[in-house]
Amino acid sequence: HYIDKVSARQLRDFGSISSELKPDGTLVTECDKWSDEFIVNSLANIAKDEGVLSEEGSKIVPSSSAYWIVDPLDGTTNFTAGIPFWAISIARFVEGRPETAFLDIPILKKRILAIRGKGVWINREKIEPLDTTNLKSECVSLCSRSISVLQKKPRQSFPGKIRLLGVSSLNMTSIAMGQTFGALESTPKIWDIAAAWLILDELKCYINWLDTDPSQLNAGDDLSSASFPLVAAMTEEKLNLLLPWGELLTNLKY
């Protein structure tokens, strides 16, 4: 119900709202701010004793054993430009790991729910891990910053057809859906990856954290500028194929 209201507001504002630049160089709109405030206030009503960390609000890891991580509008650049690809990401963490995740894609009328140990549902229909014996996708999702790894190996062919979707959470979940076989993310924030992390875990995909492991966060940590570079893939074989490229991300400076 709460997500439906946020989704409806975003569909109304899509492509017709201006953005401004935040201090970290990313974009924000009034719709981002409204969505964040609405979700955070709604969580305060239904989970009174659980803290919330969000992109447009507090970025301090809460002290409660269970807390929420919110990205009210992942893909603001797409949203502002009228590119129909963005997501609402909400995850509930218990003892440092995602336990429940919601990923809503308003323009596609698609909602993904993941529950640790129980599986993943798309629009209330349970889905199973992919049959990796017959993988067909030749695509790899890169974020705009991770594309720089190609300059590090100019004479070596990249092992996949590159796609830049512009949405970290959907870059990652595209693996679990079989749309891509892997992804490189250079500087994702915790709110970018929180929901997608659980979706990939439940659908038996692989994630390699290249620097900071988000399961090692502590209460009080300020995640305003913390990034969690990663390589993710459908299978361990594909992960190993991408790891030499992913390891270059930790050497890139921005």
Side-chain angles (χ1 to χ4, degrees):
H1 174 67
Y2 293 118
I3 299 176
D4 288 341
K5 287 190 175 182
V6 176
S7 178
R9 167 66 184 264
Q10 292 184 2
L11 287 170
R12 189 189 78 189
D13 288 352
F14 170 56
S16 62
I17 191 169
S18 60
S19 63
E20 59 187 78
L21 203 62
K22 295 194 291 188
D24 64 1
T26 60
L27 296 178
V28 66
T29 69
E30 286 303 319
C31 190
D32 288 79
K33 297 174 184 176
W34 178 90
S35 299
D36 192 281
E37 183 177 4
F38 185 88
I39 294 170
V40 170
N41 289 341
S42 299
L43 291 173
N45 288 331
I46 63 175
K48 298 182 186 300
D49 298 324
E50 299 179 1
V52 182
L53 182 158
S54 71
E55 181 176 12
E56 308 305 335
S58 172
K59 298 175 179 63
I60 307 298
V61 177
S63 58
S64 51
S65 61
Y67 57 86
W68 300 78
I69 298 181
V70 175
D71 190 339
L73 205 166
D74 187 14
T76 299
T77 299
N78 285 355
F79 180 78
T80 306
I83 298 171
F85 208 57
W86 77 90
I88 303 163
S89 174
I90 304 172
R92 182 176 185 261
F93 277 47
V94 176
E95 297 181 350
R97 296 183 65 87
E99 179 267 344
T100 307
F102 302 89
L103 193 64
D104 193 75
I105 313 167
I107 203 78
L108 299 182
K109 296 182 172 60
K110 182 182 290 187
R111 183 166 298 161
I112 304 173
L113 165 67
I115 301 174
R116 180 163 295 281
K118 296 186 178 180
V120 177
W121 293 258
I122 298 180
N123 293 346
R124 300 187 179 185
E125 180 178 344
K126 191 170 185 181
I127 62 172
E128 299 300 328
L130 292 168
D131 179 1
T132 58
T133 60
N134 188 30
L135 300 177
K136 295 181 179 179
S137 178
E138 299 178 0
C139 298
V140 179
S141 291
L142 271 65
C143 68
S144 58
R145 288 177 172 172
S146 63
I147 197 78
S148 300
V149 299
L150 302 182
Q151 297 171 339
K152 297 290 185 178
K153 295 185 177 184
R155 296 177 182 171
Q156 185 172 336
S157 296
F158 188 75
K161 296 182 178 179
I162 295 170
R163 295 293 181 269
L164 275 72
L165 307 178
V167 188
S168 294
S169 58
L170 300 184
N171 280 349
M172 292 176 66
T173 53
S174 69
I175 302 165
M177 301 300 116
Q179 298 161 331
T180 63
F181 72 77
L184 273 65
E185 286 287 323
S186 179
T187 56
K189 304 300 185 185
I190 190 65
W191 45 85
D192 296 322
I193 62 175
W197 176 10
L198 180 57
I199 293 167
L200 264 63
D201 272 2
E202 286 299 302
L203 291 178
K204 312 303 181 188
C205 297
Y206 291 77
I207 301 176
N208 186 286
W209 308 107
L210 298 169
D211 188 6
T212 306
D213 183 339
S215 67
Q216 303 301 312
L217 298 178
N218 297 303
D221 286 351
D222 185 347
L223 302 186
S224 300
S225 58
S227 295
F228 300 86
L230 64 90
V231 177
M234 284 180 174
T235 66
E236 189 172 13
E237 178 187 5
K238 294 296 188 183
L239 184 74
N240 291 333
L241 184 65
L242 293 174
L243 267 177
W245 296 86
E247 288 167 354
L248 295 173
L249 295 179
T250 58
N251 298 322
L252 296 176
K253 304 297 182 183
Y254 298 98

